Amino acid sequence: MSLDAATVRRVANLARLRLEETEVEKLQAELNGILGWIEQLQQVDTEGVEPMAGGAPVEVKLPWRADAVTDGAQAEKVLANAPDREGDYFGVPKVVE
Amino acid sequence: MTYTIEGETGPWEVVIGLEVHAQVTSHAKLFSGAATAFGAEPNSQVSFVDAGFPGMLPVINEACIAQAVRTGLGLNAEIHLWSRFDRKNYFYADLPQGYQISQYAHPIVGKGEVEVTLADGSTKIIGVTRLHLEQDAGKSLHDQHPTKSFIDLNRSGVALMEIVSEPDMRSPEEAGAYLAKLRQIMRYLGTCDGNMDEGSMRADVNVSVRKAGEGFRTRCEVKNVNSIRFVMQAVEAEARRQIEVWESGGTVEQETRLFDTARGVTRSMRSKEDAHDYRYFPDPDLPPLVLEQSWVEQLKASLPELPDQRRARYVAMGLSPYDAHVLTIERETATFFETVAKGRDAKVAANWVTGDFFAALNRLKRDISDPPVTAQHLGELLDLLADKTLSGALAKQVFEAMIETGQAPSVIVEERGLRQVTDTGAIEAAVDAIMAANADKVAEYRGGKEKLFGFFVGQTMKAMAGKGNPALVNEVLKAKLG
C-alpha cells in the first residue's frame, strides 16, 4: 500500500495543516514508511488473541462516575486563555452555514 | 393507502428515515462533573474536559449509561453489553476538542422498534436501527456581532442519545407520529424531557423520493429540525424539491441541507464532501463500556409502565381506543385521569377528562401541569353525579363554578343550592302549576300533538331553576298528562 501526493494533501487539509510542496514529498515518504511498519505488524499471528480497543490491556475497565455536579462554575478560568473574549463568550471569526 | 406527491410525471412515493438527537436527563455531563441545567450564564457550566484543555481525561457518568439502556428497553431494542466510544473528527468553533466522542462501530443499543398510531386509527411499526451515546457540542450565536460568532460551551459535553430509524416512514404524518412517539416514550421513562423549544430533541431528516416499485434513490439529509411540525414540513418541502430535480432531467446529489422555517424550503448547507470524512477511530482515553446482564435486568425491572401498556390497560378498563390514546399521550394526563377514575366508573371519568376538562384547558390556555380543576375535585363531582345529588346539566354548571372559584364541588352545591330535586312532591307541584297555566296546550297534547311533551319538560325544568331530576320530571309528566 502506498500513499500518493493527493492523499497526503487531503489528509493534511482535514487536519488543518498547510503544507509546502516540498513538505508534501517529505511527508509522503514518512507516511509510507509508517504504513510499511503497519503492514509488517499485520504479519504477526494474532490467532486466539482478544482484540484491543486501545492501548490499555483488555482487563482495564472503564471507570464510572456518579451523576453529581462536581465541576464547572469557573468561567474566568475557562475563558482565561481565549485569544478573543466577548463578555463571557469566546469570540471567533463569524461562522455561518 | 400510500401517501404520494403528484409530479408532472405522475405520483411519487416519499421515503423517510430520522436521526433523533435526544438530550439525556442527567445532573452532570457525559464525561465530566459540570452541570447540564438549561439557561445558565454563558460558560458557567464548563469543566476543563468540556473545554478541551490539554491533558484532561473523560470519565463516564453512570446515570447517562443507565438512561441509554432504559431508553433502549423502552424501544424494545437489543442492549449491547459491550460497546465502545470512538472519536468523530471535525473542526468547528463550538467543538473545542476537535472531535466528538461518539459510538460509531459499536453502539450501546441495537435494533428495536416502535409502534405509531396514525390519524385514521391505523398503526405502523417503525424500525429503530440503533441508539448510541455521544457528546453535544457548544452553542454558537451568530447574531450578536457583525464579524464574530460568540461561543458558549455550557452545552459542550452534555450527553445525547442519537436514535437512528430505519427508512420505514412514507409520509410526513408518519415521520411526525414517530417523533411524537419517541418523545412520549422518553418522557414516560424520564430519560429525556422532550423539550424541543430548549433543544432537548432535534431531528436530522433523511428524505428520498421514488416511483412505485422502485428501490431507494439518493437521499438528502435535512439537519437540525427542532419541532414535530417542522419535521413534517421539511419532509414535504424536500420531497417536492427532489421531484422537481428528477423531473427536470437532473440528478439528486447526496448532501446535507437546512430547513428554512420562514420560507418553508430546504437549502444546501455543506458543499465539500470532505466535511463528511470524520476519520473515526476508537477513543484511546476510554476502554470499552462493558455492562453486566444483571444490571440491565435490574433496570428492566424498574421501568415504569410505558404508553403502549398503559393504553392497553385503559382499553381493558372499557375505554375507547381513541380515549385511551388521548389520555396516554402525556404521562401527566394519564396520572390525572387515574386519580379521577380511581374507585369510579372509568368511562364516565374518561368522558369528563377528555370532554369538559380538556375543553377548559384549551379555552383557558392552561396546561395539564397547571389544571384549572384538581383531579380530586373532578372525582368528587363524579361522585355527586353518581349519587344523583346532581343531574348532568347541574354538574356542568358546578364544573364551571369550580373553575371560577377553585372550590370543592360539595361546597359549591351547598352554597349555591344546586342540589338536584328528587322529591316527587315538589316535582308534582311544579308540573301541576305548569299544566294549570297551559290548559290549552294540555288539551292539544291529549288530542294527539305528542311533540308538545318537550315543551312541558322545558317549562317544568325552568320553573324548578334547572334542578329537577330529569328522569323524575319525565316520569311525573307522563303520568299526569296521561
Side-chain angles (χ1 to χ4, degrees), chain B residues 121-413:
Chain B
S122 66
T123 59
K124 179 167 178 174
I125 301 286
I126 308 293
V128 171
T129 313
R130 56 185 280 167
L131 174 155
H132 67 253
L133 278 167
E134 63 183 26
Q135 298 174 301
D136 203 349
K139 189 169 86 177
S140 308
L141 288 85
H142 302 298
D143 54 359
Q144 306 288 306
H145 191 281
T147 60
K148 292 178 189 175
S149 292
F150 289 6
I151 309 292
D152 172 11
L153 296 180
N154 281 349
R155 228 173 57 192
S156 170
V158 168
L160 297 179
M161 296 177 282
E162 179 171 329
I163 304 167
V164 182
S165 84
E166 295 289 318
D168 284 351
M169 289 153 276
R170 296 288 178 271
S171 69
E173 189 202 356
E174 289 179 14
Y178 168 74
L179 189 55
K181 189 59 181 271
L182 282 189
R183 181 175 181 275
Q184 181 192 34
I185 290 170
M186 290 190 287
R187 282 172 58 83
Y188 266 67
L189 291 168
T191 56
C192 169
D193 67 21
N195 196 331
M196 300 188 91
D197 293 339
E198 294 177 0
S200 297
M201 265 181 94
R202 312 176 309 257
D204 298 341
V205 188
N206 286 289
V207 180
S208 65
V209 296
R210 67 175 176 188
K211 291 290 190 175
E214 280 183 1
F216 296 144
R217 295 198 186 195
T218 309
R219 65 186 158 87
C220 288
E221 181 180 13
V222 186
K223 276 269 184 208
N224 255 333
V225 188
N226 64 1
S227 83
I228 292 171
R229 190 164 54 94
F230 287 153
V231 164
M232 295 169 71
Q233 289 174 5
V235 166
E236 188 175 341
E238 177 57 16
R240 287 189 186 281
R241 183 191 73 83
Q242 291 181 15
I243 291 168
E244 234 178 84
V245 170
W246 290 119
E247 290 191 334
S248 62
T251 305
V252 170
E253 301 289 340
Q254 181 163 351
E255 61 173 348
T256 306
R257 302 180 66 84
L258 275 181
F259 183 56
D260 183 333
T261 54
R263 292 167 53 222
V265 295
T266 68
R267 58 184 165 82
S268 190
M269 183 171 155
R270 286 179 189 148
S271 46
K272 280 195 192 136
E273 263 317 291
D274 270 1
H276 291 292
D277 189 344
Y278 293 125
R279 294 148 294 144
Y280 286 97
F281 64 88
D283 192 314
D285 292 340
L286 294 160
L289 173 56
V290 180
L291 309 179
E292 298 288 340
Q293 182 64 42
S294 59
W295 186 70
V296 175
E297 292 304 326
Q298 270 175 34
L299 289 174
K300 195 172 190 171
S302 69
L303 287 188
E305 186 181 39
L306 285 162
D308 286 351
Q309 298 163 340
R310 188 168 273 198
R311 201 178 52 193
R313 183 161 62 82
Y314 287 3
V315 170
M317 282 160 69
L319 267 57
S320 70
Y322 178 79
D323 280 352
H325 170 68
V326 169
L327 288 170
T328 51
I329 290 175
E330 296 285 344
R331 191 178 179 177
E332 291 86 347
T333 311
T335 306
F336 186 95
F337 162 71
E338 291 191 15
T339 308
V340 176
K342 192 166 187 197
R344 305 187 177 97
D345 185 317
K347 272 174 94 166
V348 175
N351 286 343
W352 271 86
V353 173
T354 60
D356 293 80
F357 177 73
F358 277 5
L361 283 185
N362 275 336
R363 192 176 67 220
L364 303 167
K365 297 189 170 41
R366 295 272 280 268
D367 187 78
I368 186 69
S369 59
D370 174 32
V373 168
T374 66
Q376 284 77 11
H377 283 175
L378 185 51
E380 285 171 38
L381 181 68
L382 300 196
D383 291 340
L384 295 174
L385 257 171
D387 71 11
K388 299 207 165 32
T389 304
L390 294 174
S391 64
L394 280 175
K396 284 183 192 292
Q397 216 177 311
V398 172
F399 181 73
E400 290 306 319
M402 285 159 68
I403 293 172
E404 277 164 33
T405 63
Q407 285 176 313
S410 54
V411 173
I412 292 166
V413 168

Side-chain angles (χ1 to χ4, degrees), chain A residues 10 14 16 53 60 62-65 67-75 84 86 88-90 92 94-95 97, chain B residues 27-28 33-34 43-44 46-48 59-63 65 84 91 142 145 147-151 269 274 277 282:
Chain A
R10 199 173 104 80
L14 285 168
R16 296 291 189 275
V60 171
L62 183 66
W64 293 11
R65 71 159 73 232
D67 183 29
V69 176
T70 56
D71 207 340
Q74 49 172 358
D84 184 7
E86 293 286 341
D88 281 341
Y89 293 99
F90 293 91
V92 298
K94 197 151 199 142
V95 272
E97 299 272 4
Chain B
H27 299 296
N43 291 305
S44 66
V46 183
S47 77
F48 294 146
V59 181
I60 198 163
N61 181 339
E62 64 174 341
I65 305 170
R84 192 182 71 195
F91 288 100
H142 302 298
H145 191 281
T147 60
K148 292 178 189 175
S149 292
F150 289 6
I151 309 292
M269 183 171 155
D274 270 1
D277 189 344

Side-chain angles (χ1 to χ4, degrees), chain B residues 57-75:
Chain B
L57 288 172
V59 181
I60 198 163
N61 181 339
E62 64 174 341
C64 298
I65 305 170
Q67 295 289 51
V69 171
R70 287 156 59 84
T71 306
L73 293 169
L75 301 174

